Amino acid sequence: MQKFSAFSLARQAVGRHLGWRPQWRSAAPKPSYDIIIVGGGGHGLGAAYYLAKQHGLRNIAVVERGWLAGGNTARNTTIIRSNYLFEQSSSYYEHALKLWEGLSEELNYNVMFSQRGCLMVAHTVHDVQVFKRHVYANRLNGIDNEWLTPEETKAFCPPLNISPNIRYPVLGAALQRRAGTARHDAVAWGFARAASDLGVDIIENCEVTGIDRDPSGKVTGVQTTRGPIRAGKIGVSAAGHSSVVLAMAGIRLPLQVNPLQALVSEPVKPAFPCVVMSNTIHAYISQSDKGEMVIGAGTDSYVSYTQRGGLHIPAHTLEAICELVPDFRRLRMLRSWGGITDNTPDRSPITAKTSVPGLYVNCGWGTGGFKATPGAANLFAWTIARDEPHPINAPFTIERFRDGTLIDEAAAAAVAH
């Protein structure tokens, strides 16, 4: 792997940048591997990297049915935070946030992680009560969060309209200063590059069509569009399609898949200093490094694998944002897109062993998967390598839905994203 530094950039500039090599190897599938990771997004690539880096395993393949990071990794709005209510959730996301803080250095790849802060804006008395509860719970768990008055909120994010006469007046906000954003494709590319350098095979355009098992029920490999591949362990990290893949092994996951829409404006000069989220109007907004306003809304209510949704959802979001940030009323929207979210009944993820020996799953992240990328990958790798969960992800089993030990972030997370 070529190392990036100021010196290497200067050296390549002298050579007219003709000396750069491909960032990762484009591998053909071998007959067998020790471990196969299904899903070439941030979570899958990260899990392969940590399996190789921290657990010393090298005979690993990541199989992706399309192109690298072409699913939800490419379709999210890149918000990173850890201010969830329950201790189990906040510990998981805080683990991820701490990894984010050193990820660029570890991967020798700039993931463009920007800790610009995240404001969760309150519009009603109920919002105020809920967010203050978040603040107190987070502080008890050692996670930064603080309550701001409307005036303090305005000082932190000057474009916000705090007039009491608007439809959704700002009554205050919870602020996590360590929260922020990162570049989604850079994260995937960084993990792919580092994993490939450690010997991991990354195989694109290789869709899994079946899971093979021996008479005892243990997995023995996968059937793919590029032929059968044997493996002793299989980790599935395929977001909304995880239930489709697990069904090939006879496992029914408690997942519901809904579309989620987002859009960006034309690029402008720096005008929005942080991330702002609103539960009441189901909207969130930040400014990318390219200058675009990145805007997201709530999920569409219907179940679908289509990567598009109803026009009324973003229309309602834009109406509210134009009232909250009047300066943006004349901005033109540049493009919009949709993704699919894999939602569990309690809106918390599953990172666990399954009832099938040798088969593991990381799914159910809903709209919060990107922020957990390095943490989920790290803990998924631990679970696969050791055949047991790490203490942080131990509560996030499939069996909790049978036993009633739910981690109900559906209402507690303030907004799903």
Side-chain angles (χ1 to χ4, degrees), residues 10-346:
R11 195 163 50 246
Q12 292 294 339
V14 172
R16 296 186 297 172
H17 294 286
L18 298 177
W20 295 114
R21 297 195 298 269
Q23 296 293 287
W24 57 84
R25 293 176 296 108
S26 181
K30 296 189 297 190
S32 66
Y33 294 92
D34 294 334
I35 300 172
I36 292 175
I37 303 294
V38 181
H43 287 218
L45 292 165
Y49 165 73
Y50 287 117
L51 281 166
K53 180 69 180 293
Q54 296 184 345
H55 302 281
L57 302 169
R58 294 292 191 271
N59 191 23
I60 303 168
V62 177
V63 295
E64 165 58 45
R65 72 170 189 168
W67 64 91
L68 194 78
N72 281 4
T73 299
R75 294 173 177 272
N76 69 88
T77 50
T78 73
I79 295 172
I80 297 166
R81 61 186 179 91
S82 64
N83 54 346
Y84 281 70
L85 178 65
F86 293 113
E87 182 179 3
Q88 300 97 317
S89 302
S90 60
S91 296
Y92 204 145
Y93 287 103
E94 181 67 11
H95 176 64
L97 182 52
K98 288 178 179 177
L99 289 173
W100 276 113
E101 290 173 330
L103 194 60
S104 292
E105 183 176 358
E106 177 172 347
L107 299 179
N108 184 233
Y109 203 90
N110 184 10
V111 301
M112 302 172 76
F113 179 49
S114 170
Q115 290 180 288
R116 60 188 68 181
C118 177
L119 282 171
M120 306 187 77
V121 180
H123 303 285
T124 65
V125 172
H126 176 69
D127 284 349
V128 173
Q129 294 170 339
V130 168
F131 291 155
K132 285 186 176 181
R133 184 186 179 205
H134 272 70
V135 170
Y136 303 145
N138 288 159
R139 288 181 173 179
L140 285 172
N141 290 323
I143 295 170
D144 64 304
N145 203 354
E146 59 190 278
W147 177 254
L148 302 184
T149 65
E151 293 72 26
E152 291 170 332
T153 304
K154 174 78 171 179
F156 190 80
C157 186
L160 276 183
N161 179 10
I162 62 169
S163 168
N165 301 320
I166 61 176
R167 183 180 180 187
Y168 300 104
V170 175
L171 304 184
L175 170 63
Q176 185 176 31
R177 294 182 184 272
R178 291 169 54 240
T181 62
R183 179 71 183 174
H184 52 85
D185 46 13
V187 176
W189 297 341
F191 273 130
R193 179 172 173 267
S196 178
D197 187 56
L198 292 171
V200 174
D201 282 356
I202 298 171
I203 307 167
E204 299 176 87
N205 300 306
C206 184
E207 181 177 358
V208 171
T209 57
I211 295 178
D212 298 330
R213 300 164 68 184
D214 66 16
S216 70
K218 187 180 186 302
V219 298
T220 58
V222 294
Q223 297 292 324
T224 77
T225 52
R226 298 181 64 175
I229 308 174
R230 298 190 304 275
K233 292 183 176 182
I234 300 170
V236 178
S237 191
H241 291 89
S242 295
S243 56
V244 177
V245 178
L246 266 290
M248 299 173 188
I251 295 177
R252 185 178 180 186
L253 289 176
L255 292 183
Q256 176 176 297
V257 177
N258 300 85
L260 178 70
Q261 297 179 74
L263 60 162
V264 295
S265 74
E266 59 187 329
V268 294
K269 291 182 178 181
F272 207 70
C274 62
V275 178
V276 170
M277 306 174 64
S278 168
N279 181 41
T280 300
I281 61 176
H282 290 286
Y284 54 105
I285 183 171
S286 63
Q287 188 170 17
S288 74
D289 291 310
K290 295 191 294 183
E292 302 163 336
M293 297 300 164
V294 183
I295 298 168
T299 55
D300 286 80
S301 58
Y302 58 88
V303 176
S304 174
Y305 282 92
T306 60
Q307 294 174 324
R308 59 184 182 274
L311 181 60
H312 66 286
I313 298 290
H316 169 72
T317 298
L318 290 177
E319 289 170 0
I321 284 178
C322 286
E323 191 173 48
L324 274 177
V325 192
D327 293 347
F328 294 167
R329 287 177 176 174
R330 295 180 65 184
L331 279 179
R332 285 174 285 205
M333 293 299 104
L334 188 64
R335 63 185 182 277
S336 65
W337 65 91
I340 57 173
T341 62
D342 48 329
N343 306 295
T344 61
D346 62 358

Side-chain angles (χ1 to χ4, degrees), residues 326-390:
D327 293 347
F328 294 167
R329 287 177 176 174
R330 295 180 65 184
L331 279 179
R332 285 174 285 205
M333 293 299 104
L334 188 64
R335 63 185 182 277
S336 65
W337 65 91
I340 57 173
T341 62
D342 48 329
N343 306 295
T344 61
D346 62 358
R347 295 304 191 266
S348 290
I350 299 168
T351 307
K353 298 168 56 177
T354 72
S355 57
V356 174
L359 184 60
Y360 309 82
V361 66
N362 173 45
C363 66
W365 287 98
T367 58
F370 180 76
K371 67 175 68 69
T373 297
N378 179 264
L379 298 176
F380 194 37
W382 174 292
T383 304
I384 295 171
R386 304 196 178 201
D387 196 39
E388 64 179 12
H390 187 280

